Amino acid sequence: MTADTTASTRRWTLDEVHALCDRYRTWGKWGPDDELGTLNYLTPEMVANAATLVRQGKVISCALPYDGNGPQNGWGGRVNPLHFMLQDGGDATIGAQEHMARLRYADDAIYMPLQCGTQWDALSHVFYDGKMYNGYGQEHVSSTGADKCAIHLATEKVVGRGVLLDIPRFRGVPWLEPGDGIGSDELAACAEKQGVTVGRGDFVLVRTGHIAKCRAEGAWGDYAAGDAPGLNLDSTHWICGNEIAGVATDTWGMEVRPNELEEIFQPVHIVLLVNVGLLIGEIFDLEKLADDCAEDGVYEFMFVAGPLPFTKAVGSPLNPLAIK
Amino acid sequence: MTADTTASTRRWTLDEVHALCDRYRTWGKWGPDDELGTLNYLTPEMVANAATLVRQGKVISCALPYDGNGPQNGWGGRVNPLHFMLQDGGDATIGAQEHMARLRYADDAIYMPLQCGTQWDALSHVFYDGKMYNGYGQEHVSSTGADKCAIHLATEKVVGRGVLLDIPRFRGVPWLEPGDGIGSDELAACAEKQGVTVGRGDFVLVRTGHIAKCRAEGAWGDYAAGDAPGLNLDSTHWICGNEIAGVATDTWGMEVRPNELEEIFQPVHIVLLVNVGLLIGEIFDLEKLADDCAEDGVYEFMFVAGPLPFTKAVGSPLNPLAIK
Amino acid sequence: MTADTTASTRRWTLDEVHALCDRYRTWGKWGPDDELGTLNYLTPEMVANAATLVRQGKVISCALPYDGNGPQNGWGGRVNPLHFMLQDGGDATIGAQEHMARLRYADDAIYMPLQCGTQWDALSHVFYDGKMYNGYGQEHVSSTGADKCAIHLATEKVVGRGVLLDIPRFRGVPWLEPGDGIGSDELAACAEKQGVTVGRGDFVLVRTGHIAKCRAEGAWGDYAAGDAPGLNLDSTHWICGNEIAGVATDTWGMEVRPNELEEIFQPVHIVLLVNVGLLIGEIFDLEKLADDCAEDGVYEFMFVAGPLPFTKAVGSPLNPLAIK
Amino acid sequence: MTADTTASTRRWTLDEVHALCDRYRTWGKWGPDDELGTLNYLTPEMVANAATLVRQGKVISCALPYDGNGPQNGWGGRVNPLHFMLQDGGDATIGAQEHMARLRYADDAIYMPLQCGTQWDALSHVFYDGKMYNGYGQEHVSSTGADKCAIHLATEKVVGRGVLLDIPRFRGVPWLEPGDGIGSDELAACAEKQGVTVGRGDFVLVRTGHIAKCRAEGAWGDYAAGDAPGLNLDSTHWICGNEIAGVATDTWGMEVRPNELEEIFQPVHIVLLVNVGLLIGEIFDLEKLADDCAEDGVYEFMFVAGPLPFTKAVGSPLNPLAIK
């Protein structure tokens, strides 16, 4: 089966990609003023149903620690978080807090690119032909932030049913290699083998094992902005056909790299983020969750993964929780 | 009733506060190496039971937007978040992204004190007599962060049953005034009037209306680091007696100010954070949740409010979600 | 005399300002590729001659301290500097530096808008009709900085003769009030009264006393981005006629505010920075220098005020030194 | 000659270093409240005399550009500068500045460790046995900065005579290798060969060629915090005997590494910064200056190198200018 499925990764022409965009474009589907895209698939009933998946009381985070040991290398200004102590136990000890009556304290601050670690892309993160999702012009995103499709709009929208698709376990390998693409047939086959269905409004977490590979090798290497396993252009058929609300992977850029054509950098983003309006997550650490799912055989869970309300931001770090 | 309840706010002596600390100190209760405090009360069963509270599929965030309009005034280095665009639609428009094939994008970054907005205090946030929760010395918190009781330890621990106690509605006022303290009797009476019980492992959100007051006045004023309504020292009896897992308020510092004695700055923190090891949340925006609870009469919900895994941090912003 | 001189501040029409721009535009004067503007006036002979003005061995800085007590209020993202200790004496004391053999240390970092305090504007700081100095399009300044007319080009170019014009002492007032404009006649008369000449390649420091006023009042008020005394449009005749290399004032924006017409924000910048290519300095603290000049009667000095080589930056903090 | 001079680099015992500290300690020499150390050697006469060295009108900066291509690798939190555009030409182009009348602009900000590039160490940068220069305790440096011996005190103090000692040219090599130490005899011999004297109050710039080596190799490698050529412990005899006001090198840490004993990290700092109170500069780019001196044979110059007044900071970037 693996031979067939990975064969879906191939060279594409620009025209083919444009046809794919045309086919799955949702602009206007939820009105001309919509800024949420596929999060519109989610209904209160789905939220309530998702909660019924909580049976064991297990809580598993998919967030990579935010610290100086993260995967970033400075590309495009993306550095790892810088953590500052504004006050600490040293200050308390040397008498630098004597102006406060008896209480002593520590306080801290962070500088971080919002997409340096586990993250959601806002729909305003990517443009094509001058436009983002729903046809909003890129001029809506200036140095003061995004006037349209900012991430803070999703603050209360990312609670629902989550499904993990563990591709390495499906293939019987420890991890996928850079360049390994994942297509529609493989996503469907993996779900079937895992005994889990996928449908409208679901959040799908696709594990490639790329983080496991880096850990095994003891170094991030070119994890950030380099070649990677991931979803290929063919995968968009399955994703759009199932009307899922969001997808996240354990790679820096969700999609297979090298890209399947040279004429577009990150073409799957152009299809899914710009045209479909799909919520995309990256650098999700799916290792612990995958181990747990393999152990109890349960690949569905309540998924609570709201971004933080960074006003007008084009992405957000978060603590995505799978609750089983 | 209000007269009796607010009367619990009074002057305390240092000895009385120390006796309170002695009475409720939990150090060692969960072992000498514990760093979680009252989060230990929470069991998988409680998580699973909390999920059964999700009936309508409503998701309500208690996070105040993180942006330049926040409440901070620079006190102690706490400024409001600074949002930077690393790339934006302007760059795409002026041709500054021509090195990328067709895709255009926006990217951003944040600088923020970790406790400048909606936040959890880590147990390493406050020291007394040189020690934090469980007796760890303040020397565990240096300029490189907290080696003990850091906030990242709670990443998967803050999922459970949440209860809102809406004190202004209980009192029949739009909001409490600075100096208005909330004690044990009032917490109990409010819960009773609302028809909700509180027990072990619960997360209790106490609304004072301080954010509503600032909104009504159109300015934050001295919301941050100034006088405020809040929990008084007497409230610790109810809090500890009920063995709750965490408490959060809509004020900058959780407790009533001016403090009830001059000898200790923020004495309720000394009791609850240092001695009890209670998770404390601040600047939670409870307005929308309170309106919703008043409308449907349901004051309990699934509460999913994990901090972000900022490694070795002493606090964390978050998106706390009440799911009903 | 004051009546006549301040009368030069008046309402201007857009056409008049455009005519002024046309009259003094230097684009092409130093070649089509020039990025230095009036700094070209400066010759090695002028540098050598300036050194002969050093007779007493006095060194006076015109830099306002860079710290949290600065004049900024957040307008346009301009906050006061944020100073972070990466390591400090507290760390040394609590044993957090035991990994180093015996040496203990402190280290620090800064975040600051480059124009939050004493500063030079780069010629890429302002655009008009899509262009900066010498006709370069504004598209040369993207989120990765200025490809043309950046401040780092001036690193070795700001050494020469400096002249202080102390307008309040000339007028016999402690300071000028917001709205008080300074025109060509007054600049000439002030120089004459002070017994100092001004000529090609000089750096002219014009004191309005605005910082003195704020100190006397004990607060910055709306010093930053508010109304201010300063150079008016008429002053450009004297400035351009004398072919000076640069001008700096003790106000946030160099020019008188409210502006002399509503159709252009900061019109003197449009004339001098965009069209003339003049180096403009702001928030120079001229109080100590003015006191010294009043005392010894010497209003000329060697002026060493290179910006720091922040690559591709549009402004720079600095330590401008008057050496007498 | 080279054989003899480099032989001065040797293993030292802890007792020998302590004896060296005792021998050259200046604590109390300029009073118990002094915070300037060897900058006290400088007199107004020296400043005036230094100005007479300006003959050709040449201005040469010794500052390395402050940008993302700098030498830092994150060690101890020292990253290269992060440059942010708060506004830029893209904003002007997409209409994001329409609220301003006609003027369009760019504005920017920087985050940088104060010692990430060309820098002066403040006397509060290093402690030994709990003390900094003049016996001030390390508790004077907390998370809010240095109450004693901060860099802003030197704002008007670093103007005088500068002398370049070009060790690689003296040795006839393109650059010194890591581990190559420079001692007193070699400093004296180099000055003699260059035909330049060194005396009280001078600022001495010692070139090792380490930056030239990195440029030749096309990479910084472990320039920052790694092994390096530099001044050895023996050099302190010449430095202290001559009563110079400051010394700067083109390496990250001024002194030869590996250190000459294992018991103290950076022992030359302990002697010179802590005990002597000498101003120390690091990462000065001396390549252009050295080429110029070799060409005109003039190794002395006016040296204007004031730090920026970062209040209470323990170091400062700057634009050090040699004026000939």
Side-chain angles (χ1 to χ4, degrees):
Chain A
M1 164 160 276
T2 57
D4 290 293
T5 50
T6 59
S8 69
T9 302
R10 62 169 176 90
R11 304 307 297 173
W12 285 64
T13 69
L14 192 56
D15 283 347
E16 285 180 303
V17 176
H18 287 169
L20 198 61
C21 291
D22 291 343
R23 177 171 173 187
Y24 291 120
R25 186 173 303 123
T26 62
W27 300 4
K29 180 185 177 89
W30 295 286
D33 299 329
D34 182 62
E35 304 179 49
L36 290 174
T38 55
L39 288 175
N40 285 293
Y41 284 129
L42 208 62
T43 64
E45 290 70 28
M46 291 177 188
V47 173
N49 286 339
T52 66
L53 301 174
V54 181
R55 288 163 196 144
Q56 312 171 65
K58 277 194 282 197
V59 179
I60 298 171
S61 174
C62 304
L64 197 68
Y66 294 104
D67 59 38
N69 297 317
Q72 299 302 322
N73 51 30
W75 182 85
R78 287 193 188 165
V79 296
N80 289 309
L82 300 174
H83 183 217
F84 306 102
M85 296 306 294
L86 304 176
Q87 286 288 301
D88 57 53
D91 296 292
T93 300
I94 63 175
Q97 299 182 350
E98 300 294 319
H99 55 289
M100 309 185 85
R102 279 187 172 81
L103 173 143
R104 297 293 175 265
Y105 79 116
D107 210 14
D108 48 4
I110 203 88
Y111 167 76
M112 64 186 298
L114 290 169
Q115 302 191 23
C116 72
T118 305
Q119 99 219 215
W120 285 127
D121 289 355
L123 298 184
S124 48
H125 173 48
V126 170
F127 320 122
Y128 193 74
D129 269 348
K131 299 197 181 308
M132 66 181 101
Y133 166 72
N134 218 13
Y136 294 115
Q138 65 195 13
E139 66 276 9
H140 284 287
V141 187
S142 74
S143 287
T144 53
D147 288 330
K148 294 289 176 189
C149 298
I151 198 64
H152 70 264
L153 300 171
T155 303
E156 296 176 333
K157 302 295 179 183
V158 195
V159 176
R161 177 175 180 260
V163 172
L164 174 75
L165 297 183
D166 187 341
I167 305 300
R169 278 192 175 80
F170 171 69
R171 291 195 190 179
V173 296
W175 51 71
L176 274 61
E177 295 293 336
D180 277 354
I182 303 165
S184 284
D185 287 352
E186 186 168 25
L187 291 166
C190 177
E192 187 180 352
K193 185 172 173 188
Q194 291 180 180
V196 70
T197 59
V198 171
R200 179 182 291 191
D202 283 346
F203 296 94
V204 180
L205 310 182
V206 181
R207 175 172 178 259
T208 70
H210 206 192
I211 288 179
K213 175 178 154 77
C214 292
R215 288 201 179 119
E217 294 173 350
W220 286 107
D222 64 350
Y223 175 91
D227 286 347
L231 297 172
N232 62 24
L233 282 160
D234 177 78
S235 74
T236 62
H237 299 301
W238 183 88
I239 287 169
C240 298
N242 279 302
E243 299 184 325
I244 66 175
V247 71
T249 70
D250 53 359
T251 64
W252 78 274
M254 183 265 296
E255 61 185 283
V256 66
R257 289 184 51 84
N259 296 143
E260 293 167 284
L261 75 169
E262 294 193 351
E263 292 88 343
I264 308 180
F265 181 73
Q266 301 290 77
V268 182
H269 275 74
I270 303 305
V271 180
L272 294 181
L273 198 63
V274 176
N275 285 284
V276 177
L278 182 77
L279 186 70
I280 293 176
E282 290 154 346
I283 318 185
F284 278 52
D285 183 351
L286 303 175
E287 294 309 303
K288 184 176 177 184
L289 178 60
D291 287 345
D292 184 84
C293 293
E295 192 175 322
D296 68 8
V298 179
Y299 284 84
E300 63 179 351
F301 36 83
M302 185 183 191
F303 184 60
V304 183
L308 272 64
F310 291 113
T311 308
K312 300 176 75 171
V314 300
S316 176
L318 74 152
N319 179 6
L321 295 176
I323 312 174
K324 302 172 79 171
Chain B
M1 164 164 276
T2 56
D4 290 291
T5 51
T6 59
S8 69
T9 303
R10 61 169 176 89
R11 304 308 296 171
W12 286 64
T13 66
L14 192 56
D15 284 347
E16 283 180 305
V17 177
H18 287 170
L20 200 59
C21 291
D22 290 344
R23 177 170 172 186
Y24 291 120
R25 186 173 303 121
T26 63
W27 301 4
K29 181 183 175 89
W30 295 286
D33 297 330
D34 183 61
E35 303 180 49
L36 290 173
T38 55
L39 289 175
N40 284 294
Y41 285 129
L42 208 63
T43 64
E45 291 69 30
M46 292 178 189
V47 174
N49 285 340
T52 67
L53 301 174
V54 181
R55 288 161 196 144
Q56 311 171 63
K58 277 193 283 199
V59 179
I60 298 172
S61 174
C62 303
L64 196 69
Y66 295 105
D67 60 36
N69 297 317
Q72 299 301 323
N73 52 29
W75 183 85
R78 287 193 187 165
V79 296
N80 289 308
L82 300 174
H83 183 217
F84 306 101
M85 298 303 295
L86 304 176
Q87 287 287 300
D88 57 55
D91 296 292
T93 301
I94 63 176
Q97 298 182 350
E98 300 295 319
H99 55 289
M100 307 185 86
R102 279 187 173 81
L103 172 142
R104 296 293 175 266
Y105 81 114
D107 209 13
D108 48 5
I110 203 87
Y111 167 76
M112 64 186 298
L114 291 170
Q115 302 193 23
C116 73
T118 306
Q119 96 216 221
W120 286 127
D121 290 355
L123 297 184
S124 48
H125 173 49
V126 170
F127 320 121
Y128 193 75
D129 268 348
K131 300 199 180 304
M132 66 179 100
Y133 166 72
N134 219 12
Y136 293 114
Q138 64 195 13
E139 67 274 10
H140 284 288
V141 187
S142 73
S143 287
T144 54
D147 288 330
K148 293 291 176 189
C149 297
I151 199 64
H152 71 263
L153 300 171
T155 303
E156 297 176 332
K157 303 293 179 184
V158 196
V159 175
R161 178 174 179 260
V163 172
L164 174 75
L165 296 182
D166 187 342
I167 307 299
R169 277 191 175 82
F170 171 68
R171 291 195 191 180
V173 297
W175 51 72
L176 274 60
E177 296 293 336
D180 278 353
I182 303 165
S184 283
D185 285 352
E186 187 168 26
L187 291 167
C190 177
E192 186 180 351
K193 185 173 172 188
Q194 290 180 180
V196 69
T197 58
V198 172
R200 180 180 291 191
D202 284 347
F203 296 94
V204 179
L205 311 181
V206 181
R207 177 176 177 255
T208 70
H210 205 193
I211 288 179
K213 175 177 154 79
C214 292
R215 286 199 180 121
E217 295 174 350
W220 286 107
D222 63 349
Y223 174 91
D227 286 346
L231 297 173
N232 61 25
L233 282 160
D234 176 78
S235 74
T236 60
H237 299 301
W238 183 89
I239 287 169
C240 297
N242 280 302
E243 298 185 326
I244 66 175
V247 71
T249 70
D250 53 357
T251 65
W252 77 275
M254 185 264 297
E255 61 184 282
V256 65
R257 289 183 51 83
N259 296 142
E260 291 167 282
L261 73 170
E262 294 193 351
E263 292 86 345
I264 307 179
F265 182 73
Q266 301 292 75
V268 183
H269 275 73
I270 302 305
V271 179
L272 294 181
L273 198 62
V274 176
N275 285 285
V276 177
L278 183 76
L279 186 71
I280 293 176
E282 290 155 343
I283 317 183
F284 277 52
D285 184 351
L286 303 175
E287 295 308 304
K288 183 176 178 184
L289 178 61
D291 287 344
D292 185 83
C293 293
E295 193 176 322
D296 68 9
V298 180
Y299 284 84
E300 61 179 350
F301 36 83
M302 185 183 190
F303 185 59
V304 183
L308 274 64
F310 292 114
T311 308
K312 300 176 74 172
V314 300
S316 177
L318 74 153
N319 179 5
L321 295 175
I323 312 173
K324 300 172 79 172
Chain C
M1 163 160 274
T2 56
D4 290 291
T5 49
T6 59
S8 69
T9 303
R10 63 171 176 87
R11 303 307 297 171
W12 285 64
T13 68
L14 193 56
D15 284 347
E16 283 179 306
V17 177
H18 287 169
L20 199 61
C21 291
D22 291 344
R23 177 170 172 186
Y24 291 120
R25 187 174 302 121
T26 62
W27 299 4
K29 179 183 176 91
W30 295 287
D33 298 331
D34 183 61
E35 301 179 51
L36 290 174
T38 55
L39 288 175
N40 285 294
Y41 284 130
L42 208 64
T43 64
E45 290 70 29
M46 291 177 189
V47 174
N49 285 339
T52 67
L53 300 175
V54 181
R55 288 163 196 144
Q56 310 170 66
K58 278 193 284 202
V59 178
I60 299 171
S61 174
C62 303
L64 196 70
Y66 295 105
D67 60 37
N69 297 316
Q72 299 302 322
N73 51 29
W75 184 86
R78 287 192 187 166
V79 295
N80 289 309
L82 300 174
H83 183 217
F84 306 101
M85 297 305 295
L86 304 176
Q87 285 288 302
D88 57 55
D91 296 292
T93 300
I94 63 176
Q97 299 182 348
E98 301 294 320
H99 54 290
M100 309 186 83
R102 281 188 170 80
L103 174 143
R104 296 293 174 266
Y105 80 113
D107 210 13
D108 48 5
I110 203 88
Y111 167 76
M112 64 186 298
L114 291 169
Q115 302 192 23
C116 72
T118 306
Q119 95 214 222
W120 286 127
D121 288 356
L123 298 183
S124 48
H125 173 49
V126 171
F127 320 121
Y128 193 75
D129 270 348
K131 299 197 181 305
M132 65 180 103
Y133 166 72
N134 219 12
Y136 293 114
Q138 65 196 13
E139 67 274 11
H140 284 287
V141 187
S142 74
S143 286
T144 54
D147 287 331
K148 295 290 176 186
C149 297
I151 199 64
H152 71 263
L153 299 171
T155 304
E156 297 176 332
K157 302 294 180 184
V158 196
V159 176
R161 178 175 179 261
V163 172
L164 174 74
L165 296 183
D166 188 341
I167 305 300
R169 278 192 175 81
F170 172 67
R171 292 194 190 180
V173 296
W175 52 70
L176 274 60
E177 295 293 337
D180 278 353
I182 303 165
S184 284
D185 286 352
E186 187 168 24
L187 291 167
C190 177
E192 188 181 350
K193 184 172 172 189
Q194 292 181 180
V196 69
T197 59
V198 171
R200 178 181 294 191
D202 284 347
F203 296 94
V204 179
L205 311 182
V206 181
R207 177 175 176 258
T208 71
H210 205 192
I211 288 178
K213 175 179 154 78
C214 291
R215 286 196 182 124
E217 295 173 351
W220 286 107
D222 64 349
Y223 174 91
D227 286 347
L231 298 172
N232 62 25
L233 282 159
D234 177 79
S235 74
T236 61
H237 298 302
W238 183 88
I239 287 169
C240 296
N242 279 304
E243 299 184 326
I244 65 174
V247 71
T249 69
D250 53 358
T251 64
W252 79 275
M254 183 264 298
E255 62 183 281
V256 66
R257 289 183 51 83
N259 297 143
E260 292 167 283
L261 73 170
E262 294 192 351
E263 292 88 345
I264 308 180
F265 181 73
Q266 300 292 75
V268 183
H269 274 74
I270 304 304
V271 180
L272 294 180
L273 198 62
V274 176
N275 285 284
V276 177
L278 183 77
L279 186 70
I280 293 176
E282 290 154 344
I283 316 185
F284 277 52
D285 184 350
L286 303 175
E287 294 309 303
K288 183 176 178 183
L289 178 61
D291 287 344
D292 185 83
C293 293
E295 192 176 322
D296 69 9
V298 180
Y299 284 84
E300 62 178 353
F301 37 82
M302 185 182 190
F303 184 61
V304 183
L308 273 66
F310 292 114
T311 307
K312 301 177 74 173
V314 300
S316 177
L318 74 153
N319 179 5
L321 295 175
I323 313 173
K324 301 172 80 171
Chain D
M1 163 160 278
T2 55
D4 291 293
T5 51
T6 58
S8 70
T9 303
R10 63 171 175 87
R11 304 307 297 172
W12 285 63
T13 68
L14 192 57
D15 284 346
E16 283 179 306
V17 176
H18 286 169
L20 199 60
C21 290
D22 291 342
R23 177 170 173 186
Y24 291 120
R25 187 174 301 122
T26 63
W27 298 6
K29 179 184 176 91
W30 294 287
D33 298 329
D34 183 61
E35 302 180 50
L36 290 174
T38 56
L39 288 175
N40 284 294
Y41 284 130
L42 208 63
T43 65
E45 292 69 29
M46 290 178 189
V47 174
N49 285 339
T52 67
L53 300 175
V54 180
R55 288 163 196 144
Q56 310 171 64
K58 277 193 285 201
V59 179
I60 299 171
S61 173
C62 303
L64 196 69
Y66 295 104
D67 59 36
N69 297 316
Q72 299 302 322
N73 52 29
W75 183 85
R78 287 192 187 165
V79 296
N80 289 308
L82 300 174
H83 183 216
F84 305 101
M85 296 306 295
L86 303 177
Q87 286 287 301
D88 57 55
D91 296 293
T93 299
I94 63 175
Q97 299 182 348
E98 300 295 318
H99 55 289
M100 309 185 85
R102 280 187 172 81
L103 173 142
R104 296 293 175 267
Y105 79 113
D107 210 13
D108 48 5
I110 203 87
Y111 167 75
M112 63 187 298
L114 291 169
Q115 302 193 22
C116 73
T118 305
Q119 95 215 220
W120 285 128
D121 288 356
L123 297 184
S124 47
H125 174 49
V126 170
F127 319 122
Y128 193 75
D129 268 348
K131 298 196 181 306
M132 66 179 100
Y133 166 71
N134 218 13
Y136 293 114
Q138 65 195 13
E139 66 275 12
H140 285 287
V141 187
S142 75
S143 286
T144 55
D147 288 330
K148 294 291 177 187
C149 297
I151 199 64
H152 71 264
L153 300 171
T155 304
E156 297 177 332
K157 302 294 181 184
V158 195
V159 176
R161 178 173 179 262
V163 172
L164 174 74
L165 296 183
D166 187 342
I167 305 300
R169 277 191 175 82
F170 172 69
R171 291 195 189 179
V173 297
W175 52 70
L176 274 61
E177 296 292 337
D180 278 353
I182 304 167
S184 283
D185 287 351
E186 186 167 26
L187 291 167
C190 176
E192 186 180 353
K193 184 172 173 189
Q194 289 180 181
V196 69
T197 59
V198 170
R200 180 181 291 192
D202 284 347
F203 295 94
V204 179
L205 311 182
V206 181
R207 178 176 176 256
T208 70
H210 205 191
I211 289 179
K213 174 178 155 77
C214 292
R215 287 199 179 119
E217 295 173 351
W220 286 108
D222 63 351
Y223 174 90
D227 286 346
L231 297 172
N232 61 26
L233 282 161
D234 176 79
S235 73
T236 62
H237 298 302
W238 183 88
I239 287 169
C240 297
N242 280 302
E243 298 184 327
I244 65 175
V247 70
T249 69
D250 53 357
T251 64
W252 78 274
M254 184 265 296
E255 61 185 281
V256 65
R257 289 183 50 83
N259 297 143
E260 292 167 283
L261 73 170
E262 294 193 351
E263 291 87 346
I264 308 179
F265 181 72
Q266 302 291 75
V268 183
H269 275 73
I270 302 305
V271 180
L272 294 180
L273 198 62
V274 176
N275 285 285
V276 177
L278 183 77
L279 187 71
I280 293 176
E282 291 155 343
I283 318 185
F284 277 52
D285 184 351
L286 303 175
E287 295 308 303
K288 184 177 177 184
L289 178 60
D291 287 345
D292 185 82
C293 293
E295 192 176 322
D296 69 10
V298 179
Y299 285 84
E300 61 179 351
F301 37 82
M302 186 183 190
F303 184 60
V304 183
L308 273 66
F310 292 112
T311 307
K312 300 176 74 173
V314 300
S316 177
L318 74 153
N319 179 5
L321 295 176
I323 312 174
K324 301 172 79 172

